[in-house]
Amino acid sequence: MTHTGHQSMRRVLRREIAGTIGLLADEHDFTAMRRYRTFTFDDHATYLRQVEALLRTLAAQGNHTTVALFDPEEYAEFCADAGLEPDAPSSRTRFTGELATTGPSIPYDGQPLSELVTDLIDEAVRQATWEYATNLLSRIGDCASCGHDIGRSAFAHASELLTRILDTASPGRRHLVCSVSSSPQPLMSALHVDEDVDGSTHLDEAEALEFVTVLAVGIATRSPGGLVMRTSASDATDRVYGWRLRGEGLEPLTAGEVFDAYCTDVESGDLVSPESGVDYCAPPDLGEGGTAPGGHTH
């Protein structure tokens, strides 16, 4: 085979390889990396423009690229644990390879870099929330009266509650938000659910897992919190309703309470105008065990 033939094959193979770029998304992380001599960028804005240009070039060549958040502190720890020289491009490459499987990442599909960074940070927050909530559940231990694992029982109950909420919801798209005032830090999770014309639902499994875990933390720790859902359909008015966490169950919010929550600025406390075409209402009945006071789940 000719030398030109080998080059053509290598170009074809290069298009088959998926790559990962570790992105320094904010100025603080970028500045931290500048202490390394081999990191040659000196301006964050220029760096971001170069990254975006590279992503576009790779996409034009048919390459699939994933972007992951590059954390300088985690990188330094990685190099120390692996015995690597941190001031070396090869070490950054190895760390980026690890990020592809362990850290938050977003595939590049031609979206503006600003949009990708926002999604990437949201993904990082979501992953951190899930990890924190999972560790919190695992540390609660067993119930003193029945011996059951409190975290495991709360997770099963939260899963059942989510199923009931979706089963009783109006047809269409659903957007749910769960917030828990846990200590030492509050938790929040959102879940998006789409519905086909045949009634089948579609949701992101990772997003649903995080949502259930956060709800389970509220149940297991009996922390104050709430759950609000908005349903949307092309042929109907949007409906907004919700519940507050009470004991191990959910207590329905009145239509007035939902209206007040949505029409009050969370920072200033000032009233804001309600959305037109939105029905603030009481939630549907979740059935036995779905509302507070619930039965003892553990």
Side-chain angles (χ1 to χ4, degrees):
M1 182 178 291
T2 65
H3 180 65
T4 302
H6 284 295
Q7 287 181 325
S8 298
M9 290 181 64
R10 281 195 291 269
R11 282 195 295 268
V12 171
L13 286 173
R14 198 174 296 124
R15 290 196 295 268
E16 301 287 331
I17 299 173
T20 302
I21 290 178
L23 179 68
L24 296 161
D26 62 47
E27 187 82 35
H28 178 269
D29 288 344
F30 178 84
T31 301
M33 288 301 293
R34 290 193 61 200
R35 68 178 181 267
Y36 299 122
R37 179 185 55 82
T38 57
F39 185 78
T40 57
F41 289 96
D42 55 15
D43 178 75
H44 190 231
T46 301
Y47 162 82
L48 291 176
R49 286 195 297 270
Q50 292 296 324
V51 169
E52 186 163 26
L54 175 60
L55 288 169
R56 289 174 177 169
T57 298
L58 292 172
Q61 295 172 348
N63 294 311
H64 174 81
T65 307
T66 297
V67 181
L69 280 180
F70 193 106
D71 186 307
E73 291 185 8
E74 292 182 2
Y75 171 64
E77 293 174 2
F78 172 81
C79 290
D81 292 341
L84 298 174
E85 167 55 57
D87 196 358
S90 59
S91 299
R92 293 194 288 274
T93 300
R94 282 187 58 176
F95 178 66
T96 301
E98 290 285 326
L99 291 178
T101 57
T102 61
S105 60
I106 296 290
Y108 176 71
D109 296 319
Q111 67 270 50
L113 189 63
S114 58
E115 179 182 317
L116 187 147
V117 168
T118 299
D119 292 343
L120 192 55
I121 293 174
D122 288 345
E123 178 65 20
V125 171
R126 194 180 87 175
Q127 182 170 314
T129 298
W130 177 77
E131 290 175 353
Y132 174 80
T134 299
N135 289 335
L136 189 59
L137 282 180
S138 66
R139 294 197 308 266
I140 293 176
D142 297 336
C143 175
S145 60
C146 67
H148 291 169
D149 185 299
I150 295 175
R152 189 182 300 273
S153 298
F155 186 88
H157 187 44
S159 300
E160 180 184 2
L161 287 174
L162 177 59
T163 299
R164 293 187 185 192
I165 288 170
L166 295 179
D167 286 346
T168 58
S170 302
R173 299 182 304 278
R174 299 91 181 260
H175 176 71
L176 300 90
V177 176
C178 179
S179 58
V180 175
S181 300
S182 63
S183 180
Q185 68 181 59
L187 298 173
M188 180 176 291
S189 180
L191 177 63
H192 307 270
V193 182
D194 292 320
E195 185 178 77
D196 289 339
V197 290
D198 62 359
S200 59
T201 57
H202 302 277
L203 50 79
D204 183 278
E205 292 184 2
E207 199 175 74
L209 177 61
E210 180 212 330
F211 188 91
V212 170
T213 304
V214 169
L215 179 57
V217 167
I219 294 171
T221 61
R222 295 175 177 262
S223 299
L227 192 158
V228 177
M229 179 161 73
R230 179 171 184 153
T231 62
S232 304
S234 58
D235 58 349
T237 301
D238 282 13
R239 302 180 74 236
V240 178
Y241 52 82
W243 302 260
R244 65 171 56 87
L245 280 169
R246 181 62 59 88
E248 296 175 353
L250 296 173
E251 180 180 85
L253 296 173
T254 66
E257 288 173 326
V258 176
F259 180 89
D260 290 342
Y262 262 75
C263 300
T264 302
D265 186 280
V266 293
E267 294 184 358
S268 66
D270 295 335
L271 294 177
V272 295
S273 300
E275 290 185 66
S276 61
V278 176
D279 181 15
Y280 302 94
C281 55
D285 184 10
L286 298 181
E288 185 180 354
T291 55
H296 193 62
T297 62
H298 53 265

